[in-house]
Amino acid sequence: MNYEEWYRSAGSAQKGLRDSVGTVNRLLKAVMTDMENGNLTDMKKCLAQMTEAAEALGQKVTDLTETVESFDTREYFASGDFAKQLLAECKAKKIDVIGEKGMYEMFPFKVRIYGDEERAEEVWVNRKKVSSVRPSFVADYVKESRDRLYKVSFNETAFMTELADAYETTCLKNGTRIGGSVGLGSIYKIMTPMARARKDYDMQAFAFDLARLYEKGPQAWVTKDGKYYTFGTSRDGKKGIRVLNSNGTEDFITTFRPLMTEE
């Protein structure tokens, strides 16, 4: 199954309905004008024509309803056709995608496609349900949402200072000396101590802020009081937080520590 092919085939039924609605609206305006002008003779003719047009309109509604019902959305999702076509749309729109079997990361979003019996025909981008079964629409939604995020102003100094404060708190909590490397996962937990905070600022949002900061380079990794920090990276995606810069370059950031401090 292919939504775009079905969409093109449904065009004639859609046009027929639109034309019928236009005819009814045109006759309605004529009736209202005749009533205002007192031309009841013409008004009767228009009403008779409207009766015929309304019957034609009903048939066009039936035709389009049958066309819509001919597209089996449940099978479309269950067969994997929707997912394959979504990935093709993402590739065409240069959206980075990793993952499989309905669970994907389209940085900085988590995208989940449900095709089972309980939650069939559902697409979720992070915690928002996207009410569409058209792959091109969903891909556009992800791209536009991502682009909006990149346009939001970002204060790297303020974010760096928050990271540094969370770093020191983590060291104190764990009884480790300040100066050594600390995992960014631990720092994130300090920055979001409550479940409500993690809901409002999830790991994907944290990774996006890290990506914007990391892309700025070492010259931006300084706090308000002038302390420089650095990040540790890994080639093993399982050990780090995956970040993607605006050019699509991938990195896995693992740790955070003050710069020029002996470990």
Side-chain angles (χ1 to χ4, degrees), residues 5-6 105 107 111 178 261:
E5 292 177 359
W6 173 85
E105 179 182 309
F107 191 84
V111 177
I178 293 178
T261 301

Side-chain angles (χ1 to χ4, degrees), residues 1-10 67-68 70-73 75-77 79-89 133-136:
M1 298 178 67
N2 185 296
Y3 187 91
E4 295 304 320
E5 292 177 359
W6 173 85
Y7 180 73
R8 288 190 290 271
S9 69
T67 300
V68 171
S70 72
F71 191 85
D72 189 343
T73 53
E75 174 62 23
Y76 188 39
F77 275 65
S79 67
D81 286 344
F82 173 85
K84 287 189 293 185
Q85 290 159 30
L86 174 59
L87 296 182
E89 289 287 344
V133 299
R134 188 178 186 182
S136 61

Side-chain angles (χ1 to χ4, degrees), residues 6 11 43 80-81 94 130 133 145 186 196 215 221 224 239 246 258:
W6 173 85
M43 181 178 174
D81 286 344
K94 297 182 179 180
V130 181
V133 299
S145 298
S186 298
R196 183 185 304 171
E215 186 173 9
W221 303 344
K224 290 179 181 179
K239 294 182 179 180
S246 57

Side-chain angles (χ1 to χ4, degrees), residues 204-255:
Q204 288 302 110
F206 181 57
F208 183 69
D209 284 342
L210 284 175
R212 298 183 79 180
L213 176 64
Y214 194 73
E215 186 173 9
K216 295 284 186 179
Q219 70 277 5
W221 303 344
V222 58
T223 63
K224 290 179 181 179
D225 56 0
K227 294 179 181 178
Y228 281 83
Y229 283 73
T230 190
F231 295 93
T233 60
S234 172
R235 294 182 180 275
D236 185 352
K238 296 180 180 180
K239 294 182 179 180
I241 295 176
R242 181 177 182 266
V243 298
L244 210 67
N245 69 18
S246 57
N247 295 320
T249 302
E250 177 186 73
D251 281 296
F252 294 92
I253 307 176
T254 54
T255 58

Side-chain angles (χ1 to χ4, degrees), residues 69-234:
E69 290 178 346
S70 72
F71 191 85
D72 189 343
T73 53
R74 184 175 293 275
E75 174 62 23
Y76 188 39
F77 275 65
S79 67
D81 286 344
F82 173 85
K84 287 189 293 185
Q85 290 159 30
L86 174 59
L87 296 182
E89 289 287 344
C90 288
K91 183 177 181 180
K93 293 174 170 61
K94 297 182 179 180
I95 299 171
D96 179 84
V97 181
I98 60 172
E100 59 182 355
K101 296 181 180 179
M103 298 182 66
Y104 305 99
E105 179 182 309
M106 301 180 187
F107 191 84
F109 305 112
K110 293 286 188 182
V111 177
R112 185 76 168 92
I113 300 171
Y114 292 95
D116 54 28
E117 290 296 325
E118 293 184 3
R119 302 182 66 176
E121 310 148 42
E122 289 189 10
V123 182
W124 289 77
V125 178
N126 285 354
R127 295 188 302 274
K128 182 177 178 59
K129 182 180 179 180
V130 181
S131 299
S132 177
V133 299
R134 188 178 186 182
S136 61
F137 178 91
V138 176
D140 284 338
Y141 175 84
V142 171
K143 184 177 184 300
E144 291 167 7
S145 298
R146 181 197 65 188
D147 292 346
R148 281 197 300 271
L149 284 178
Y150 275 111
K151 290 178 181 177
V152 175
S153 61
F154 178 66
N155 188 327
E156 60 264 20
T157 303
F159 183 59
M160 267 296 304
T161 301
E162 291 178 1
L163 283 176
D165 290 344
Y167 164 84
E168 292 189 2
T169 301
T170 303
C171 289
L172 292 173
K173 182 179 179 180
N174 295 340
T176 57
R177 66 182 181 84
I178 293 178
S181 295
V182 170
L184 283 165
S186 298
I187 290 175
Y188 170 73
K189 291 178 181 178
I190 293 296
M191 294 175 69
T192 54
M194 300 176 63
R196 183 185 304 171
R198 287 190 291 275
K199 183 178 180 180
D200 294 336
Y201 185 65
D202 60 18
M203 182 59 79
Q204 288 302 110
F206 181 57
F208 183 69
D209 284 342
L210 284 175
R212 298 183 79 180
L213 176 64
Y214 194 73
E215 186 173 9
K216 295 284 186 179
Q219 70 277 5
W221 303 344
V222 58
T223 63
K224 290 179 181 179
D225 56 0
K227 294 179 181 178
Y228 281 83
Y229 283 73
T230 190
F231 295 93
T233 60
S234 172

